[in-house]
Amino acid sequence: MSSNLRPIGVFDSGVGGITAVKEIHDLMPGEDIIYFGDVGRVPYGNKSSDIILKYASQDISFLKSLGVKMIIAACGTVSSIINIQSLNKDLPFIGVINSACIAAINSTKNKKIGVIGTETTIKSNSYSKCIKSINKEAQVYQKACQVFVSLIENDISSLPYDIVYGIVKENLSYFNEFNIDVLILGCTHYPIIEPIISEVMGPEVKLINSGKEAVKYAESVLKNQNLKSSGTFGGKCSFFVSAGAKTFFETASRFLGYNVVGNAREVNIGLY
Ligand code: DGL
């Protein structure tokens, strides 16, 4: 198959990376996608670096076995601990940290930037280091919100709005005293609850969707390497998961606006 007709590979620990899939559909509607969600081993964000590296390398081997032309680690946790440069050898490999930090620096007026992510992401300081390498005057305030991942993986829509709003508000109250004007959603799960985060933070705080920024960057890489599909519509996404998960299919279908169930298969990721 000609290089630019091959699909883009996208992976995450679970349903979070579908926020990047949505952006690919919107920005590059002619691109086919293969999505792998490691639902059987979610969450990644409270696991050790060694385990996350092992899981990520299996996820990557699986996507490569299907002949993808690019891989997007649509996962803040994996992007925080993996050496992206070292993976950029046989095909372009994109993480979510750099492009989100650039967007945050371009958006902030007061140089006070908040970051939310998983426990591992926040402990790694990946976003903070990257922001300061772009602008050392920026002040970065970080808060791990691992609980948001569990809420989203366990079908947030089944919980009363007030309960979810209360949990989000309590976690984000950390930022009250810092006067941030930008908040990076440093975990790809979080755009699924973006309306609630936005309501809690208020209109003066701009939210940066890390998956969306990564997809914009991915488009520029595909163009530069002559890998972009010439198609302008009709791109399809095939879904693979490491365990059957009703919630994954429901959340993904709701977020993407089409039914993913008939288009999903289970894979034994331990074999990769
Ligand atoms: N969506 C992922 C991230 O961006 C992983 C969340 C998790 O599995 O804890 O960090």
Side-chain angles (χ1 to χ4, degrees):
M1 195 193 279
S2 133
S3 290
N4 55 2
L5 291 178
R6 286 184 291 150
I8 299 172
V10 180
F11 74 93
D12 179 42
S13 62
V15 77
I18 57 137
T19 59
V21 169
K22 184 167 192 308
E23 298 304 330
I24 298 174
H25 285 332
D26 288 351
L27 193 64
M28 300 181 272
E31 296 288 349
D32 285 335
I33 305 163
I34 293 183
Y35 184 80
F36 175 68
D38 201 357
V39 183
R41 306 190 290 197
V42 69
Y44 282 5
N46 57 4
K47 297 200 167 74
S48 71
S49 299
D50 285 352
I51 292 181
I52 296 164
L53 283 174
K54 179 183 159 201
Y55 290 174
S57 66
Q58 290 176 321
D59 305 344
I60 293 163
S61 302
F62 168 67
L63 290 174
K64 280 187 176 171
S65 76
L66 296 179
V68 297
K69 62 182 174 184
M70 162 185 270
I71 292 182
I72 302 178
C75 177
T77 309
V78 168
S79 307
S80 291
I81 58 150
I82 214 160
N83 181 346
I84 304 279
Q85 283 318 103
S86 73
L87 289 164
N88 252 326
K89 292 199 178 103
D90 43 353
L91 78 179
F93 190 95
I94 311 275
V96 297
I97 311 288
N98 281 15
S99 35
C101 294
I102 293 167
I105 288 287
N106 288 340
S107 303
T108 183
K109 294 196 174 63
N110 68 9
K111 299 198 182 72
K112 294 183 182 194
I113 298 170
V115 180
I116 51 175
T118 65
E119 282 165 14
T120 302
T121 296
I122 298 305
K123 248 186 248 157
S124 77
N125 274 322
S126 55
Y127 284 100
S128 175
K129 283 185 209 151
C130 181
I131 290 167
K132 285 174 190 286
S133 75
I134 303 168
N135 185 329
K136 53 182 185 315
E137 283 165 29
Q139 293 173 53
V140 183
Y141 305 94
Q142 310 183 83
K143 171 84 169 71
C145 297
Q146 187 67 45
V147 66
F148 295 176
V149 175
S150 324
L151 284 175
I152 293 160
E153 285 291 331
N154 292 302
D155 191 10
I156 205 154
S157 69
S158 63
L159 291 172
Y161 183 84
D162 289 357
I163 305 267
V164 178
Y165 184 88
I167 295 169
V168 172
K169 191 172 164 67
E170 191 190 322
N171 276 271
L172 299 183
S173 67
Y174 167 78
F175 294 105
N176 288 353
E177 58 184 298
F178 301 124
N179 189 30
I180 59 167
D181 66 353
V182 170
L183 178 66
I184 297 180
L185 308 184
C187 166
T188 52
H189 278 70
Y190 299 167
I192 293 173
I193 54 166
E194 188 165 343
I196 305 177
I197 296 175
S198 175
E199 201 180 327
V200 169
M201 295 308 293
E204 58 290 341
V205 177
K206 180 168 168 53
L207 305 182
I208 305 288
N209 174 333
S210 53
K212 182 176 190 163
E213 297 305 325
V215 168
K216 285 190 212 160
Y217 176 62
E219 187 190 30
S220 69
V221 171
L222 289 174
K223 276 186 186 155
N224 286 342
Q225 301 198 14
N226 284 327
L227 286 171
K228 189 158 183 247
S229 163
S230 52
T232 52
F233 66 95
K236 302 239 172 343
C237 184
S238 306
F239 294 87
F240 293 85
V241 289
S242 53
K246 196 169 156 273
T247 307
F248 173 92
F249 298 125
E250 284 169 2
T251 308
S253 302
R254 210 171 27 245
F255 191 78
L256 293 171
Y258 60 83
N259 188 358
V260 309
V261 180
N263 202 6
R265 269 168 283 172
E266 207 170 307
V267 57
N268 184 352
I269 196 66
L271 298 177
Y272 289 85

